[in-house]
Amino acid sequence: MSLARLHFVQQGQGPTVVLSHALGCDISMWDEVAELLSPHYAVLRYDHRGHGQSEAPVPPYSMQMLADDAAALIERECDGPVHFVGLSMGGMTAQALAARHPQRVRSIVVANSAQHYDDAARALWDARVKTVLQSGVPAIADAAMQRWFSASFRARAPERVSALRARLERCDPVSYAASCEAVRNIDFRASNAALHCPALVIAGTLDEATPVAMSEAMASTIPGAQLHTLPAAHISAVEQPAAFAQLLREFFSKI
């Protein structure tokens, strides 16, 4: 299994925090959070395989591959284990990374994510893959924006929403579909129960893509995990960056 060459940026000084973005996004998803953390932390953001400026290996993709990509980046660029923060697909990467490469993480934060999908949810992922391969990523952009952001945020920050939509629409459809399939196939219920690192789970009270119940299930499975909610839809780190960063700082300060 080959690793992907990942595009990344680093800023700040202090303990290392790695930020892992959602499906269809890139490192720009973390702009505000990275700026808020960088006075006290060394922040590394990267693009997943097939996203942004990272390499797009030939599919299929799996969440284990995404975790191995991240572990190789951490080993090469970071001085010891890191606080790994992932949102949505990034949160799934965090769960896989902590299970496969526990020596690479001091803690994990899993935001707006899931540990398993039932058959009905998997069928929805299959339908999205079919649409993207037949009609391209722009065909699912309207629905994605409604999932990603609350109506109030779309109204008050149209430029931010437009910029993230443009990045989604630029995704290669084959790589995007392969990433959807990696997400579709997750099942961390057993491995999460065996995790030993500190864990914070963040849920959005307005998140229809990964509802609070999914975060509650994760938090109840991971030993000692904390659970907090934010008044946001799916991409909570964009919609509530100050509150998101504050949760991270409070969590890290106790480790």
Side-chain angles (χ1 to χ4, degrees):
M1 182 178 64
S2 62
L3 299 170
R5 293 189 298 273
L6 302 181
H7 169 251
F8 66 94
V9 298
Q10 294 174 292
Q11 64 192 100
Q13 292 183 334
T16 302
V17 178
V18 175
L19 303 178
S20 183
H21 65 75
L23 173 68
C25 295
D26 67 1
I27 60 173
S28 69
M29 191 202 88
W30 294 110
D31 284 351
E32 298 90 350
V33 169
E35 190 67 25
L36 290 164
L37 292 178
S38 60
H40 305 287
Y41 297 94
V43 181
L44 186 154
R45 297 179 274 166
Y46 72 94
D47 292 332
H48 285 285
R49 59 168 58 201
H51 288 71
Q53 299 180 53
S54 286
E55 182 183 22
V58 175
Y61 297 172
S62 69
M63 205 55 60
Q64 289 70 32
M65 292 178 182
L66 270 62
D68 291 348
D69 288 345
L73 179 65
I74 292 166
E75 181 179 11
R76 187 175 69 248
E77 300 295 336
C78 303
D79 183 17
V82 304
H83 299 296
F84 193 91
V85 181
L87 189 147
S88 192
M89 185 173 75
M92 298 167 194
T93 304
Q95 294 170 78
L97 178 68
R100 290 172 66 83
H101 304 279
Q103 74 279 14
R104 301 294 174 212
V105 296
R106 294 180 64 186
S107 70
I108 59 170
V109 178
V110 183
N112 304 88
S113 195
Q115 64 178 357
H116 173 257
Y117 286 108
D118 61 21
D119 289 342
R122 289 185 176 193
L124 294 175
W125 282 110
D126 290 339
R128 192 189 305 188
V129 167
K130 183 177 180 180
T131 298
V132 165
L133 292 178
Q134 289 180 344
S135 305
V137 179
I140 55 95
D142 281 342
M145 294 305 103
Q146 292 176 30
R147 287 193 307 273
W148 284 7
F149 304 115
S150 66
S152 61
F153 183 79
R154 296 197 303 271
R156 75 174 184 267
E159 292 183 357
R160 186 70 165 114
V161 173
S162 178
L164 287 166
R165 177 178 180 138
R167 283 168 170 78
L168 170 66
E169 292 184 346
R170 286 200 296 269
C171 284
D172 169 63
V174 173
S175 296
Y176 182 88
S179 299
C180 287
E181 290 172 340
V183 169
R184 172 196 182 276
N185 293 329
I186 63 166
D187 189 350
F188 299 119
R189 291 173 293 182
S191 57
N192 277 350
L195 296 183
H196 298 293
C197 65
L200 169 65
V201 178
I202 299 175
T205 57
L206 306 176
D207 188 352
E208 297 179 358
T210 50
V212 173
M214 287 186 168
S215 291
E216 290 173 340
M218 271 188 291
S220 67
T221 303
I222 300 172
Q226 303 175 33
L227 173 64
H228 290 277
T229 61
L230 292 173
H234 190 54
I235 312 294
S236 62
V238 172
E239 194 159 333
Q240 295 284 346
F244 193 99
Q246 182 64 22
L247 285 178
L248 299 187
R249 286 192 296 264
E250 291 174 355
F251 174 61
F252 299 152
S253 71
K254 297 174 183 175
I255 298 172

